[in-house]
Amino acid sequence: MDTIYALASAPGKSGVAVIRVSGPSAPDAAKALAGSVPEARKAALRILRDTDGAMLDQALVLVFEEGASFTGERVVEFHTHGSIAIQRAVLRALSQLPGFRLAEPGEFTRRALENQKLDLTQVEALSDLIEAQTESQRVQAMQVLVGRLGERVEEWRRRLITAASLLEATIDFADEDLPIDVTEDVRDHLESVLKDLRAELKGSVAAERIRLGFEVAIVGAPNIGKSSLLNELAGRDAAITSEIAGTTRDVIEVHMEIAGLPVTLLDTAGLRETDDPVEKIGIQRARQRAESADLRVFLVGPDEAPMMESKPGDLVRISKADLTGASTGISVKTGQGIGALVEEIGDVLSSRSRDAGMITRERHRIAFREGTEALETAISRLDLGPAGYDITAEEVRFSIRRLEALIGRVDVESLLDEIFSTFCLGK
């Protein structure tokens, strides 16, 4: 196996740069550049030199033995000063060592998976953690990264294997007079797992929203103040504001954090009847995006109703309260009601994310759904008694295989290239 190396910290100028080496010849990198191999897991200050003996930098060198590193292989890390010139010089020196090559994107993490240091859900969680921009995303990614989903999958898998074993034992000794009926024991195992899988599926929509972000659409008639509200919430002029009706033609998106949750605010075209073909397209898009959004904020005038049917949780506010005098309205000019509106948006989205599970991807949802359907079929076949045990056992085995695929034990080779292509070079 090749020994690989790459910059593990962010590219560019920094205070400290971390260059990671992993593979069977990793200690040779320490010996070649630092003169000797330091004691494992103890930072050692060394002068780094290239193959010609020229000084490269003064750096900390860390060595990790096989089985005690991120990748599970022998690993050496050089913690250098973070200038771009030093990074390039150290990487160039490593490239001159025999059997060493630059790592491909995600290759360190892929080796961690292959060496069973991480399961597939943890690999995905690591990617999510690197991309996390809000507190809720960080917490969600950490739950999976530390192995909580994998632990639950292993627990469900053990229960299902126990159930399958009981069924198969009965099938194997079908010609013998066995005094024990395993139907109820099997049913208890299957129903217990099924209950847990259903609960995770129920929380999957909220979990995926935390990972990808909630959409909040600002909806109303032209010149009602939608773009002004978007700019106020965003803290910048993200949308053009004008007294001319129909200024907003396309949906404008602004990403922000509300109550620790990732939120995409949508400024939509003003809803009205128009003969302008371009504006008609904008209004159609506005209705479509508002309909699919997680939450709608309707801006209306006094004694007016929303121009779309509202859904549970949607918010309605009288706009331009500085002109209308509405005590319960909002005003971008004076700031009236803006803080309360943001707080209420946060409350609604927080309540929806409260029961979020750990299923954060469509791949997870498909595996859980197929596993759930197999268990439902298995339980229904139990009512046939021993005559249906063979089909019941096969459905249980299928459910086990779906859980195993979830954590990367089987049938995931086609997914790996796609998953690891999203990682940066040093991961």
Side-chain angles (χ1 to χ4, degrees):
M1 177 181 288
D2 292 338
T3 296
I4 58 175
Y5 63 88
L7 179 68
S9 53
K13 182 180 177 181
S14 60
V16 176
V18 178
I19 296 172
R20 178 181 291 157
V21 183
S22 180
S25 300
D28 294 344
K31 187 173 183 180
L33 272 65
S36 63
V37 181
E39 185 179 348
R41 305 180 75 85
K42 288 189 177 181
L45 186 64
R46 293 285 193 273
I47 298 296
L48 303 186
R49 301 181 184 274
D50 64 17
T51 53
D52 296 326
M55 183 183 299
L56 300 175
D57 190 27
Q58 187 179 46
L60 288 177
V61 182
L62 280 166
V63 175
F64 301 89
E65 293 295 340
E66 184 175 354
S69 69
F70 171 71
T71 62
E73 302 173 337
R74 304 174 92 180
V75 167
V76 171
E77 290 182 354
F78 300 100
H79 295 222
T80 70
H81 293 95
S83 85
I84 295 175
I86 291 174
Q87 295 171 30
R88 289 175 177 171
V90 174
L91 291 172
R92 184 168 56 249
L94 290 171
S95 71
Q96 295 170 353
L97 300 179
F100 284 61
R101 65 169 174 82
L102 188 66
E104 297 175 358
E107 191 169 3
F108 288 106
T109 308
R110 186 162 187 160
R111 290 191 176 192
L113 174 68
E114 292 169 349
N115 294 323
Q116 299 181 359
K117 301 297 288 186
L118 299 173
D119 66 38
L120 194 55
T121 61
Q122 290 175 296
V123 168
E124 293 167 324
L126 178 58
S127 176
D128 290 341
L129 185 62
I130 293 171
E131 297 294 330
Q133 296 182 346
T134 68
E135 178 65 9
S136 59
Q137 290 173 324
R138 182 193 68 80
V139 171
Q140 182 186 68
M142 282 301 303
Q143 284 183 333
V144 182
L145 181 59
V146 298
R148 290 185 183 176
L149 180 55
E151 290 172 359
R152 297 216 69 190
V153 169
E154 284 293 347
E155 178 187 348
W156 296 327
R157 180 175 172 273
R158 285 194 298 269
R159 292 187 199 171
L160 294 181
I161 288 175
T162 299
S165 299
L166 290 172
L167 292 170
E168 288 164 0
T170 304
I171 295 170
D172 290 341
F173 295 98
D175 295 334
E176 300 185 19
D177 186 15
L178 292 177
I180 300 176
D181 183 357
V182 301
T183 300
E184 292 309 313
D185 286 341
V186 171
R187 189 188 305 276
D188 288 343
H189 285 297
L190 299 188
E191 288 184 344
S192 175
V193 175
L194 180 60
K195 179 181 177 182
D196 289 345
L197 297 188
R198 283 173 173 168
E200 283 293 333
L201 274 173
K202 184 178 179 181
S204 64
V205 174
E208 191 166 10
R209 278 289 175 263
I210 290 175
R211 187 174 76 88
L212 299 177
F214 291 90
E215 286 194 346
V216 177
I218 304 173
V219 186
N223 285 341
I224 198 66
K226 300 183 300 300
S227 297
S228 296
L229 176 59
L230 178 83
N231 291 342
E232 178 69 15
L233 297 179
R236 60 186 177 88
D237 291 335
I240 299 173
T241 59
S242 170
E243 297 297 327
I244 302 173
T247 300
T248 301
R249 299 295 182 94
D250 208 347
V251 178
I252 298 173
E253 301 183 1
V254 171
H255 302 283
M256 61 185 300
E257 180 177 343
I258 296 178
L261 297 167
V263 174
T264 300
L265 290 176
L266 307 177
D267 178 22
T268 60
L271 304 182
R272 67 170 181 171
E273 296 296 329
T274 180
D275 293 327
D276 186 326
V278 177
E279 189 179 355
K280 279 185 176 179
I281 295 174
I283 292 172
Q284 182 181 13
R285 289 182 179 178
R287 288 186 177 276
Q288 290 172 345
R289 289 298 296 274
E291 183 68 28
S292 63
D294 300 289
L295 178 66
R296 283 146 293 278
V297 176
F298 292 101
L299 298 186
V300 299
D303 302 321
E304 291 181 355
M307 302 182 71
M308 287 180 60
E309 183 179 353
S310 62
K311 299 180 180 180
D314 287 348
L315 307 178
V316 181
R317 290 292 189 274
I318 297 175
S319 187
K320 302 182 180 180
D322 55 297
L323 300 178
T324 64
S327 59
T328 58
I330 63 170
S331 170
V332 171
K333 286 189 176 181
T334 66
Q336 176 184 326
I338 300 297
L341 175 61
V342 173
E343 185 176 349
E344 192 167 354
I345 291 173
D347 289 343
V348 172
L349 298 183
S350 295
S351 67
R352 295 182 182 180
S353 61
R354 195 165 293 129
D355 296 326
M358 290 181 284
I359 303 177
T360 59
R361 284 174 161 76
E362 182 64 17
R363 182 183 77 83
H364 303 171
R365 189 179 296 111
I366 292 173
F368 270 76
R369 186 178 66 244
E370 292 179 348
T372 296
E373 291 170 353
L375 290 185
E376 290 170 343
T377 301
I379 291 171
S380 68
R381 299 292 301 185
L382 276 176
D383 295 332
L384 299 177
Y389 278 3
D390 52 346
I391 297 178
T392 302
E394 179 55 33
E395 293 292 345
V396 174
R397 285 193 293 269
F398 177 80
S399 186
I400 293 171
R401 289 196 295 272
R402 298 311 296 135
L403 292 177
E404 289 177 333
L406 181 69
I407 58 176
R409 286 197 176 190
V410 295
D411 195 30
V412 293
E413 283 300 320
S414 60
L415 291 169
L416 295 184
D417 289 338
E418 179 180 351
I419 290 172
F420 288 113
S421 67
T422 65
F423 278 74
C424 57
L425 190 64
K427 278 294 179 185

